[in-house]
Amino acid sequence: MSPEKLTYMANQIAGFFRNRPHEEAVAGVADHISKFWEPRMRAQLFDMLSQAGDRFDPLVLEAGPKIRPVK
């Protein structure tokens, strides 16, 4: 998937959870990505977060360590 599309999708998820209490929003982003993104997408996200996280919504950055790892 293109990095732009993956970034857009992750930030869109963060936008959905933005109006919830902070901890609930972070958990919601992590839970959604863990449940609905295939391993290749999560692996690409982890790689992108480690390289240039500034393009991501702060909720995505905070949720990163809570997203289910790729085996």
Side-chain angles (χ1 to χ4, degrees), residues 11-67:
N11 289 338
Q12 201 173 28
I13 294 165
F16 175 81
F17 287 102
R18 173 144 335 282
N19 293 327
R20 301 205 179 164
H22 184 74
E23 289 303 316
E24 185 180 330
V26 171
V29 171
D31 186 54
H32 181 89
I33 292 173
S34 294
K35 284 182 179 177
F36 298 108
W37 284 26
E38 66 176 20
R40 289 179 295 177
M41 291 171 68
R42 292 195 321 270
Q44 185 178 0
L45 176 65
F46 293 139
D47 186 48
M48 290 171 63
L49 286 172
S50 70
Q51 292 179 16
D54 60 334
R55 65 179 118 190
F56 290 102
D57 184 288
L59 286 176
V60 177
L61 296 174
E62 197 170 339
K66 299 173 191 248
I67 296 170

